[in-house]
Amino acid sequence: MIAFDADDTLWHNESLFLDTQEKFRELLLQYQDAEWIDKKLYETEIRNLEHFGYGVKGFVLSMIETAIELTDGRISGSEIQTFVDFGKKMVAAPVEVLDGVQNTIEALSKTYPLMVITKGDLFEQETKVARSRLGHFFKHIEVVSEKIPASYQAVFKKYEIDSKRFMMVGNSLKSDVLPVLECGAHAVHVAYPTTWAHEQVDSKVLESIHFPKLDRIDQLPDLIQSMINQKI
Amino acid sequence: MIAFDADDTLWHNESLFLDTQEKFRELLLQYQDAEWIDKKLYETEIRNLEHFGYGVKGFVLSMIETAIELTDGRISGSEIQTFVDFGKKMVAAPVEVLDGVQNTIEALSKTYPLMVITKGDLFEQETKVARSRLGHFFKHIEVVSEKIPASYQAVFKKYEIDSKRFMMVGNSLKSDVLPVLECGAHAVHVAYPTTWAHEQVDSKVLESIHFPKLDRIDQLPDLIQSMINQKI
């Protein structure tokens, strides 16, 4: 079984948040400087994970709270409506499948059962899978609320997957690689240009851990072949 | 396999939304009359289902949009913060397990595999299962974005469930009973005092459809026994 992360592995996602954050920042520059806005928004997002989890709706609520805080409550209702509208646009934004994904997934699906394991908002992830037109290549779509070892163990149990015959492919070291290795399964890192600060991993943690790293997803079939040849 | 809906079947949920809506209404009575506020909020909620799905976060965003609309954008940031705080309180509210649920679930779990099938926000539903302390009675927890026949079919396929040996128990005719009967499985309605308007079913639809209706969930073991005796 080969499992893929979705956001920033199969399609662009972080860029959508960054673009929205840029528009948010521009609207608030009259009240505060850019650095302060970014810092406060990030702090609010992290604090709100506990209440709202991952996804666009939580992000919108964090933008609203940040804007209220930095204007001491003076921000107007109509400005706040703009942030809600940002959220609606994000949810409806075209799903931009990353270069090489379509061909790679199609090729691998002929030999291996594939699945998606993604964290975040169920509603948002399901609509993205549908709009990506990749859904039919995957045997299962699993949306989990956090990507920790226990979540992967639960998926293995649910689908009766042998962890030694499972490979996770994703762009987040924290979510897609480290917890999977901890479960005794295979993990492959595929680079994405930007990583949300919350997903970043201390470089020291990585020094002692070895796993394949790819620059592009279309290098995956060759990697898998060479792992089979070497009986890894 | 016996599957249970969660909100308003295992624990109170609609009452939490109604209580919050009452506080929302009180805060806005200075701008509009109660009837108009309720009507607009409901319209906004339904319109936003497409963008935000079910759950507390979407409800908060709908309260915010309604408040902006009915004050022509004059509502202040600090008033809007109050609505966000309502949401945080809702997400953290104690999960009030309904009368009879604990004993019924415990008793049935000794004979049957049980699962939960609930719609809504994955993050919110998972934390509620955890806080209800009922999680260990269930073999599977499935959160789906809509309860339509295709969602139930997908669950049957995923867990290799024979629809004839599956029973769904829930308070919503629209979500828990009608789509399940359509799949050729069994469904039992357990009454809950209030039903969200969006979940209500035209009484004419119900005239030609027959299924067991219970007033309380603790009547379920006897019902199942009598169905077995009658070989239904």
Side-chain angles (χ1 to χ4, degrees), chain A residues 81 84-92, chain B residues 47-48 51-52 65:
Chain A
Q81 182 63 49
V84 179
D85 293 338
F86 286 168
K88 289 183 187 172
K89 272 195 192 141
M90 288 176 80
V91 174
Chain B
R47 199 177 58 227
N48 279 342
H51 305 289
F52 301 133
E65 282 204 295

Side-chain angles (χ1 to χ4, degrees), chain B residues 4 10 105 114-116 129 134-141:
Chain B
F4 293 84
L10 299 180
I105 298 293
L114 307 184
M115 71 182 294
V116 170
V129 170
L134 295 171
H136 61 289
F137 293 122
F138 300 104
K139 207 175 159 194
H140 310 295
I141 311 286

Side-chain angles (χ1 to χ4, degrees), chain B residues 3-99:
Chain B
F4 293 84
D5 170 52
D7 291 339
D8 300 331
T9 297
L10 299 180
W11 48 71
H12 287 288
N13 177 62
E14 182 61 15
S15 54
L16 191 61
F17 280 81
L18 290 176
D19 289 351
T20 306
Q21 185 165 344
E22 196 177 314
K23 285 189 255 169
F24 174 75
R25 193 190 300 128
E26 276 168 26
L27 284 173
L28 293 180
L29 275 178
Q30 53 178 310
Y31 300 101
Q32 280 284 359
D33 64 74
E35 201 186 328
W36 195 96
I37 297 168
D38 286 351
K39 183 172 170 282
K40 272 289 163 197
L41 178 59
Y42 179 68
E43 283 171 12
T44 311
E45 278 184 84
I46 299 304
R47 199 177 58 227
N48 279 342
L49 282 181
E50 174 203 342
H51 305 289
F52 301 133
Y54 299 91
V56 170
K57 295 186 284 280
F59 181 62
V60 172
L61 290 169
S62 294
M63 284 194 287
I64 292 173
E65 282 204 295
T66 306
I68 292 169
E69 192 184 345
L70 69 70
T71 62
D72 291 320
R74 283 174 294 124
I75 188 131
S76 72
S78 46
E79 285 170 293
I80 287 177
Q81 182 63 48
T82 314
F83 309 144
V84 179
D85 293 339
F86 285 169
K88 289 184 188 172
K89 271 196 193 142
M90 287 175 80
V91 173
V95 174
E96 286 182 62
V97 173
L98 288 162
D99 283 349

Side-chain angles (χ1 to χ4, degrees), chain A residues 65 81 126 145 158-159, chain B residues 65 81 126 145 158-159:
Chain A
E65 283 203 295
Q81 182 63 49
E126 281 190 354
S145 52
K158 189 165 176 175
Y159 297 107
Chain B
E65 282 204 295
Q81 182 63 48
E126 281 190 354
S145 52
K158 188 165 177 174
Y159 297 106

Side-chain angles (χ1 to χ4, degrees), chain A residues 26-44:
Chain A
E26 277 168 26
L27 283 173
L28 294 180
L29 275 177
Q30 54 177 310
Y31 301 101
Q32 279 285 358
D33 64 76
E35 201 185 329
W36 196 95
I37 297 167
D38 286 352
K39 183 172 170 282
K40 271 291 164 198
L41 178 59
Y42 179 68
E43 282 171 13
T44 311

Side-chain angles (χ1 to χ4, degrees), chain A residues 50-90:
Chain A
E50 172 202 343
H51 306 290
F52 300 133
Y54 299 91
V56 171
K57 295 186 285 279
F59 181 63
V60 171
L61 291 168
S62 294
M63 284 195 287
I64 292 173
E65 283 203 295
T66 305
I68 292 169
E69 192 183 345
L70 70 71
T71 63
D72 291 321
R74 284 174 292 124
I75 189 132
S76 71
S78 46
E79 285 170 293
I80 286 176
Q81 182 63 49
T82 314
F83 310 145
V84 179
D85 293 338
F86 286 168
K88 289 183 187 172
K89 272 195 192 141
M90 288 176 80

